[in-house]
mmCIF file of all heavy atoms in Angstrom:
data_model
loop_
_atom_site.group_PDB
_atom_site.id
_atom_site.type_symbol
_atom_site.label_atom_id
_atom_site.label_comp_id
_atom_site.label_asym_id
_atom_site.label_seq_id
_atom_site.Cartn_x
_atom_site.Cartn_y
_atom_site.Cartn_z
ATOM 1 N N PHE A 545 66.838 -6.528 13.327
ATOM 2 C CA PHE A 545 66.494 -5.135 13.536
ATOM 3 C C PHE A 545 66.143 -4.878 14.991
ATOM 4 O O PHE A 545 65.922 -5.803 15.769
ATOM 5 C CB PHE A 545 65.342 -4.743 12.615
ATOM 6 C CG PHE A 545 65.666 -4.921 11.155
ATOM 7 C CD1 PHE A 545 65.008 -5.872 10.393
ATOM 8 C CD2 PHE A 545 66.644 -4.150 10.551
ATOM 9 C CE1 PHE A 545 65.316 -6.046 9.062
ATOM 10 C CE2 PHE A 545 66.961 -4.314 9.220
ATOM 11 C CZ PHE A 545 66.301 -5.274 8.463
ATOM 12 N N HIS A 546 66.109 -3.581 15.327
ATOM 13 C CA HIS A 546 65.808 -3.160 16.691
ATOM 14 C C HIS A 546 64.514 -2.357 16.716
ATOM 15 O O HIS A 546 64.160 -1.715 15.715
ATOM 16 C CB HIS A 546 66.944 -2.287 17.241
ATOM 17 C CG HIS A 546 68.189 -3.036 17.563
ATOM 18 N ND1 HIS A 546 68.870 -2.871 18.740
ATOM 19 C CD2 HIS A 546 68.892 -3.965 16.860
ATOM 20 C CE1 HIS A 546 69.941 -3.650 18.752
ATOM 21 N NE2 HIS A 546 69.974 -4.315 17.602
ATOM 22 N N PRO A 547 63.813 -2.324 17.837
ATOM 23 C CA PRO A 547 62.698 -1.382 17.964
ATOM 24 C C PRO A 547 63.195 0.041 17.674
ATOM 25 O O PRO A 547 64.317 0.403 18.026
ATOM 26 C CB PRO A 547 62.265 -1.537 19.425
ATOM 27 C CG PRO A 547 62.732 -2.898 19.814
ATOM 28 C CD PRO A 547 63.999 -3.142 19.063
ATOM 29 N N GLY A 548 62.358 0.848 17.028
ATOM 30 C CA GLY A 548 62.740 2.216 16.693
ATOM 31 C C GLY A 548 63.496 2.352 15.384
ATOM 32 O O GLY A 548 63.767 3.474 14.945
ATOM 33 N N ASP A 549 63.845 1.253 14.726
ATOM 34 C CA ASP A 549 64.583 1.330 13.461
ATOM 35 C C ASP A 549 63.695 1.865 12.338
ATOM 36 O O ASP A 549 62.529 1.453 12.208
ATOM 37 C CB ASP A 549 65.081 -0.054 13.049
ATOM 38 C CG ASP A 549 66.354 -0.461 13.763
ATOM 39 O OD1 ASP A 549 66.843 0.336 14.590
ATOM 40 O OD2 ASP A 549 66.851 -1.572 13.515
ATOM 41 N N PRO A 550 64.213 2.753 11.503
ATOM 42 C CA PRO A 550 63.499 3.133 10.277
ATOM 43 C C PRO A 550 63.834 2.125 9.172
ATOM 44 O O PRO A 550 64.960 2.101 8.665
ATOM 45 C CB PRO A 550 64.047 4.529 9.963
ATOM 46 C CG PRO A 550 65.395 4.569 10.596
ATOM 47 C CD PRO A 550 65.404 3.589 11.734
ATOM 48 N N LEU A 551 62.874 1.292 8.814
ATOM 49 C CA LEU A 551 63.095 0.252 7.812
ATOM 50 C C LEU A 551 62.568 0.694 6.453
ATOM 51 O O LEU A 551 61.599 1.467 6.365
ATOM 52 C CB LEU A 551 62.403 -1.045 8.218
ATOM 53 C CG LEU A 551 62.783 -1.643 9.569
ATOM 54 C CD1 LEU A 551 62.125 -3.002 9.743
ATOM 55 C CD2 LEU A 551 64.291 -1.756 9.725
ATOM 56 N N TYR A 552 63.212 0.180 5.401
ATOM 57 C CA TYR A 552 62.798 0.482 4.039
ATOM 58 C C TYR A 552 62.619 -0.823 3.272
ATOM 59 O O TYR A 552 63.601 -1.475 2.904
ATOM 60 C CB TYR A 552 63.837 1.357 3.337
ATOM 61 C CG TYR A 552 63.810 2.793 3.781
ATOM 62 C CD1 TYR A 552 64.349 3.172 5.001
ATOM 63 C CD2 TYR A 552 63.215 3.773 2.993
ATOM 64 C CE1 TYR A 552 64.310 4.490 5.422
ATOM 65 C CE2 TYR A 552 63.178 5.091 3.403
ATOM 66 C CZ TYR A 552 63.724 5.449 4.625
ATOM 67 O OH TYR A 552 63.683 6.747 5.045
ATOM 68 N N PRO A 553 61.370 -1.241 3.028
ATOM 69 C CA PRO A 553 61.168 -2.422 2.185
ATOM 70 C C PRO A 553 61.495 -2.088 0.727
ATOM 71 O O PRO A 553 61.362 -0.933 0.291
ATOM 72 C CB PRO A 553 59.680 -2.731 2.359
ATOM 73 C CG PRO A 553 59.066 -1.433 2.749
ATOM 74 C CD PRO A 553 60.110 -0.684 3.530
ATOM 75 N N ARG A 554 61.898 -3.112 -0.016
ATOM 76 C CA ARG A 554 62.210 -2.912 -1.435
ATOM 77 C C ARG A 554 61.559 -4.029 -2.235
ATOM 78 O O ARG A 554 61.697 -5.210 -1.903
ATOM 79 C CB ARG A 554 63.719 -2.932 -1.657
ATOM 80 C CG ARG A 554 64.144 -2.580 -3.092
ATOM 81 C CD ARG A 554 65.662 -2.643 -3.237
ATOM 82 N NE ARG A 554 66.130 -2.065 -4.481
ATOM 83 C CZ ARG A 554 66.155 -2.695 -5.656
ATOM 84 N NH1 ARG A 554 65.731 -3.961 -5.713
ATOM 85 N NH2 ARG A 554 66.593 -2.090 -6.729
ATOM 86 N N PHE A 555 60.823 -3.654 -3.275
ATOM 87 C CA PHE A 555 60.192 -4.633 -4.160
ATOM 88 C C PHE A 555 59.933 -3.972 -5.504
ATOM 89 O O PHE A 555 59.915 -2.738 -5.618
ATOM 90 C CB PHE A 555 58.873 -5.155 -3.562
ATOM 91 C CG PHE A 555 57.902 -4.087 -3.179
ATOM 92 C CD1 PHE A 555 56.941 -3.641 -4.070
ATOM 93 C CD2 PHE A 555 57.951 -3.503 -1.919
ATOM 94 C CE1 PHE A 555 56.042 -2.646 -3.726
ATOM 95 C CE2 PHE A 555 57.059 -2.502 -1.559
ATOM 96 C CZ PHE A 555 56.101 -2.069 -2.464
ATOM 97 N N GLU A 556 59.756 -4.810 -6.530
ATOM 98 C CA GLU A 556 59.474 -4.294 -7.868
ATOM 99 C C GLU A 556 58.092 -4.747 -8.290
ATOM 100 O O GLU A 556 57.771 -5.935 -8.247
ATOM 101 C CB GLU A 556 60.500 -4.781 -8.883
ATOM 102 C CG GLU A 556 60.241 -4.231 -10.291
ATOM 103 C CD GLU A 556 61.237 -4.735 -11.320
ATOM 104 O OE1 GLU A 556 61.812 -5.810 -11.101
ATOM 105 O OE2 GLU A 556 61.415 -4.053 -12.346
ATOM 106 N N VAL A 557 57.261 -3.787 -8.694
ATOM 107 C CA VAL A 557 55.946 -4.102 -9.233
ATOM 108 C C VAL A 557 56.022 -3.934 -10.748
ATOM 109 O O VAL A 557 56.637 -2.999 -11.250
ATOM 110 C CB VAL A 557 54.856 -3.206 -8.607
ATOM 111 C CG1 VAL A 557 55.131 -1.742 -8.852
ATOM 112 C CG2 VAL A 557 53.483 -3.578 -9.121
ATOM 113 N N TYR A 558 55.430 -4.893 -11.482
ATOM 114 C CA TYR A 558 55.476 -4.804 -12.937
ATOM 115 C C TYR A 558 54.186 -5.375 -13.515
ATOM 116 O O TYR A 558 53.348 -5.950 -12.806
ATOM 117 C CB TYR A 558 56.692 -5.557 -13.497
ATOM 118 C CG TYR A 558 56.531 -7.059 -13.494
ATOM 119 C CD1 TYR A 558 56.128 -7.741 -14.643
ATOM 120 C CD2 TYR A 558 56.784 -7.800 -12.347
ATOM 121 C CE1 TYR A 558 55.979 -9.123 -14.640
ATOM 122 C CE2 TYR A 558 56.649 -9.173 -12.335
ATOM 123 C CZ TYR A 558 56.241 -9.833 -13.483
ATOM 124 O OH TYR A 558 56.088 -11.199 -13.475
ATOM 125 N N THR A 559 54.019 -5.193 -14.810
ATOM 126 C CA THR A 559 52.863 -5.732 -15.518
ATOM 127 C C THR A 559 53.326 -6.361 -16.825
ATOM 128 O O THR A 559 54.235 -5.839 -17.477
ATOM 129 C CB THR A 559 51.831 -4.636 -15.811
ATOM 130 O OG1 THR A 559 50.733 -5.207 -16.531
ATOM 131 C CG2 THR A 559 52.419 -3.503 -16.632
ATOM 132 N N PRO A 560 52.697 -7.468 -17.225
ATOM 133 C CA PRO A 560 52.992 -8.024 -18.554
ATOM 134 C C PRO A 560 52.268 -7.276 -19.666
ATOM 135 O O PRO A 560 52.441 -7.594 -20.848
ATOM 136 C CB PRO A 560 52.485 -9.477 -18.437
ATOM 137 C CG PRO A 560 51.424 -9.427 -17.385
ATOM 138 C CD PRO A 560 51.842 -8.352 -16.422
ATOM 139 N N GLY A 561 51.461 -6.292 -19.286
ATOM 140 C CA GLY A 561 50.737 -5.497 -20.279
ATOM 141 C C GLY A 561 51.592 -4.368 -20.833
ATOM 142 O O GLY A 561 52.819 -4.351 -20.692
ATOM 143 N N ASN A 562 50.916 -3.396 -21.457
ATOM 144 C CA ASN A 562 51.632 -2.290 -22.098
ATOM 145 C C ASN A 562 52.262 -1.341 -21.096
ATOM 146 O O ASN A 562 53.327 -0.785 -21.330
ATOM 147 C CB ASN A 562 50.690 -1.515 -23.018
ATOM 148 C CG ASN A 562 50.319 -2.310 -24.262
ATOM 149 O OD1 ASN A 562 51.100 -3.136 -24.715
ATOM 150 N ND2 ASN A 562 49.127 -2.081 -24.786
ATOM 151 N N GLU A 563 51.562 -1.080 -19.987
ATOM 152 C CA GLU A 563 52.109 -0.195 -18.969
ATOM 153 C C GLU A 563 51.371 -0.385 -17.657
ATOM 154 O O GLU A 563 50.247 -0.883 -17.622
ATOM 155 C CB GLU A 563 52.039 1.270 -19.403
ATOM 156 C CG GLU A 563 50.647 1.826 -19.590
ATOM 157 C CD GLU A 563 50.660 3.294 -19.982
ATOM 158 O OE1 GLU A 563 51.150 4.105 -19.175
ATOM 159 O OE2 GLU A 563 50.181 3.623 -21.088
ATOM 160 N N LEU A 564 52.029 0.011 -16.584
ATOM 161 C CA LEU A 564 51.414 -0.055 -15.266
ATOM 162 C C LEU A 564 50.274 0.954 -15.162
ATOM 163 O O LEU A 564 50.287 1.986 -15.840
ATOM 164 C CB LEU A 564 52.455 0.265 -14.188
ATOM 165 C CG LEU A 564 53.472 -0.817 -13.852
ATOM 166 C CD1 LEU A 564 54.594 -0.220 -13.007
ATOM 167 C CD2 LEU A 564 52.808 -1.977 -13.102
ATOM 168 N N PRO A 565 49.292 0.679 -14.305
ATOM 169 C CA PRO A 565 48.293 1.722 -14.006
ATOM 170 C C PRO A 565 49.002 2.962 -13.478
ATOM 171 O O PRO A 565 50.046 2.869 -12.829
ATOM 172 C CB PRO A 565 47.411 1.063 -12.934
ATOM 173 C CG PRO A 565 47.650 -0.396 -13.071
ATOM 174 C CD PRO A 565 49.049 -0.560 -13.550
ATOM 175 N N ARG A 566 48.412 4.121 -13.700
ATOM 176 C CA ARG A 566 49.070 5.360 -13.284
ATOM 177 C C ARG A 566 49.095 5.534 -11.771
ATOM 178 O O ARG A 566 49.939 6.263 -11.245
ATOM 179 C CB ARG A 566 48.366 6.564 -13.936
ATOM 180 C CG ARG A 566 48.440 6.547 -15.442
ATOM 181 C CD ARG A 566 49.872 6.596 -15.960
ATOM 182 N NE ARG A 566 50.507 7.855 -15.727
ATOM 183 C CZ ARG A 566 50.444 8.889 -16.559
ATOM 184 N NH1 ARG A 566 49.763 8.784 -17.691
ATOM 185 N NH2 ARG A 566 51.049 10.016 -16.284
ATOM 186 N N THR A 567 48.170 4.863 -11.065
ATOM 187 C CA THR A 567 48.114 4.997 -9.615
ATOM 188 C C THR A 567 48.100 3.616 -8.967
ATOM 189 O O THR A 567 47.349 2.731 -9.392
ATOM 190 C CB THR A 567 46.848 5.772 -9.177
ATOM 191 O OG1 THR A 567 46.860 7.055 -9.788
ATOM 192 C CG2 THR A 567 46.813 5.942 -7.668
ATOM 193 N N LEU A 568 48.922 3.426 -7.949
ATOM 194 C CA LEU A 568 48.958 2.192 -7.172
ATOM 195 C C LEU A 568 48.761 2.518 -5.701
ATOM 196 O O LEU A 568 49.292 3.516 -5.205
ATOM 197 C CB LEU A 568 50.296 1.469 -7.350
ATOM 198 C CG LEU A 568 50.662 0.992 -8.762
ATOM 199 C CD1 LEU A 568 52.060 0.379 -8.767
ATOM 200 C CD2 LEU A 568 49.645 -0.014 -9.280
ATOM 201 N N GLU A 569 47.992 1.681 -5.019
ATOM 202 C CA GLU A 569 47.809 1.813 -3.579
ATOM 203 C C GLU A 569 48.636 0.712 -2.898
ATOM 204 O O GLU A 569 48.451 -0.473 -3.191
ATOM 205 C CB GLU A 569 46.332 1.664 -3.199
ATOM 206 C CG GLU A 569 45.400 2.651 -3.883
ATOM 207 C CD GLU A 569 45.624 4.076 -3.422
ATOM 208 O OE1 GLU A 569 46.152 4.261 -2.295
ATOM 209 O OE2 GLU A 569 45.269 5.000 -4.173
ATOM 210 N N VAL A 570 49.533 1.098 -2.024
ATOM 211 C CA VAL A 570 50.423 0.144 -1.352
ATOM 212 C C VAL A 570 50.066 0.091 0.126
ATOM 213 O O VAL A 570 50.029 1.124 0.809
ATOM 214 C CB VAL A 570 51.901 0.549 -1.518
ATOM 215 C CG1 VAL A 570 52.805 -0.459 -0.818
ATOM 216 C CG2 VAL A 570 52.257 0.646 -2.999
ATOM 217 N N ASP A 571 49.774 -1.113 0.608
ATOM 218 C CA ASP A 571 49.509 -1.352 2.032
ATOM 219 C C ASP A 571 50.614 -2.245 2.579
ATOM 220 O O ASP A 571 50.894 -3.311 2.014
ATOM 221 C CB ASP A 571 48.161 -2.047 2.242
ATOM 222 C CG ASP A 571 46.991 -1.178 1.828
ATOM 223 O OD1 ASP A 571 47.169 0.048 1.800
ATOM 224 O OD2 ASP A 571 45.916 -1.721 1.523
ATOM 225 N N ILE A 572 51.249 -1.802 3.655
ATOM 226 C CA ILE A 572 52.290 -2.592 4.302
ATOM 227 C C ILE A 572 51.852 -2.845 5.742
ATOM 228 O O ILE A 572 51.593 -1.894 6.491
ATOM 229 C CB ILE A 572 53.647 -1.870 4.271
ATOM 230 C CG1 ILE A 572 54.101 -1.689 2.822
ATOM 231 C CG2 ILE A 572 54.687 -2.639 5.068
ATOM 232 C CD1 ILE A 572 55.420 -0.956 2.680
ATOM 233 N N ASP A 573 51.740 -4.111 6.107
ATOM 234 C CA ASP A 573 51.340 -4.500 7.458
ATOM 235 C C ASP A 573 52.449 -5.320 8.095
ATOM 236 O O ASP A 573 53.088 -6.156 7.435
ATOM 237 C CB ASP A 573 50.048 -5.326 7.430
ATOM 238 C CG ASP A 573 48.860 -4.521 6.935
ATOM 239 O OD1 ASP A 573 48.740 -3.363 7.360
ATOM 240 O OD2 ASP A 573 48.079 -5.042 6.122
ATOM 241 N N LEU A 574 52.652 -5.085 9.386
ATOM 242 C CA LEU A 574 53.614 -5.874 10.153
ATOM 243 C C LEU A 574 52.827 -6.757 11.120
ATOM 244 O O LEU A 574 52.040 -6.257 11.927
ATOM 245 C CB LEU A 574 54.555 -4.957 10.939
ATOM 246 C CG LEU A 574 55.787 -5.645 11.536
ATOM 247 C CD1 LEU A 574 56.745 -6.044 10.423
ATOM 248 C CD2 LEU A 574 56.489 -4.723 12.528
ATOM 249 N N VAL A 575 53.004 -8.067 10.996
ATOM 250 C CA VAL A 575 52.283 -9.001 11.859
ATOM 251 C C VAL A 575 53.285 -9.828 12.644
ATOM 252 O O VAL A 575 54.396 -10.128 12.175
ATOM 253 C CB VAL A 575 51.340 -9.913 11.048
ATOM 254 C CG1 VAL A 575 50.281 -9.095 10.322
ATOM 255 C CG2 VAL A 575 52.119 -10.741 10.031
ATOM 256 N N ASP A 576 52.890 -10.206 13.855
ATOM 257 C CA ASP A 576 53.798 -10.992 14.688
ATOM 258 C C ASP A 576 53.657 -12.471 14.377
ATOM 259 O O ASP A 576 52.915 -12.881 13.471
ATOM 260 C CB ASP A 576 53.558 -10.697 16.174
ATOM 261 C CG ASP A 576 52.151 -11.062 16.624
ATOM 262 O OD1 ASP A 576 51.497 -11.894 15.953
ATOM 263 O OD2 ASP A 576 51.706 -10.515 17.659
ATOM 264 N N ASN A 577 54.335 -13.292 15.160
ATOM 265 C CA ASN A 577 54.394 -14.731 14.893
ATOM 266 C C ASN A 577 53.051 -15.414 15.074
ATOM 267 O O ASN A 577 52.838 -16.525 14.585
ATOM 268 C CB ASN A 577 55.438 -15.375 15.817
ATOM 269 C CG ASN A 577 56.108 -16.556 15.160
ATOM 270 O OD1 ASN A 577 56.166 -16.632 13.928
ATOM 271 N ND2 ASN A 577 56.609 -17.483 15.965
ATOM 272 N N GLU A 578 52.126 -14.739 15.772
ATOM 273 C CA GLU A 578 50.808 -15.309 15.989
ATOM 274 C C GLU A 578 49.775 -14.729 15.033
ATOM 275 O O GLU A 578 48.571 -14.965 15.180
ATOM 276 C CB GLU A 578 50.370 -15.059 17.437
ATOM 277 C CG GLU A 578 51.291 -15.734 18.457
ATOM 278 C CD GLU A 578 50.855 -15.450 19.889
ATOM 279 O OE1 GLU A 578 49.882 -14.680 20.062
ATOM 280 O OE2 GLU A 578 51.478 -15.999 20.813
ATOM 281 N N GLY A 579 50.239 -13.956 14.053
ATOM 282 C CA GLY A 579 49.331 -13.402 13.060
ATOM 283 C C GLY A 579 48.635 -12.131 13.480
ATOM 284 O O GLY A 579 47.737 -11.644 12.771
ATOM 285 N N GLN A 580 49.034 -11.535 14.617
ATOM 286 C CA GLN A 580 48.424 -10.299 15.080
ATOM 287 C C GLN A 580 49.132 -9.102 14.436
ATOM 288 O O GLN A 580 50.360 -9.037 14.407
ATOM 289 C CB GLN A 580 48.526 -10.196 16.607
ATOM 290 C CG GLN A 580 47.790 -11.306 17.350
ATOM 291 C CD GLN A 580 46.290 -11.235 17.110
ATOM 292 O OE1 GLN A 580 45.688 -10.172 17.190
ATOM 293 N NE2 GLN A 580 45.698 -12.384 16.802
#
Side-chain angles (χ1 to χ4, degrees):
F545 300 113
H546 288 227
D549 279 1
L551 303 186
Y552 285 76
R554 186 181 192 278
F555 54 92
E556 181 181 24
V557 59
Y558 76 98
T559 179
N562 289 331
E563 64 178 298
L564 284 167
R566 298 299 291 272
T567 302
L568 298 176
E569 303 292 336
V570 180
D571 295 337
I572 297 179
D573 295 317
L574 193 70
V575 299
D576 61 22
N577 212 25
E578 298 179 357
Q580 298 296 314

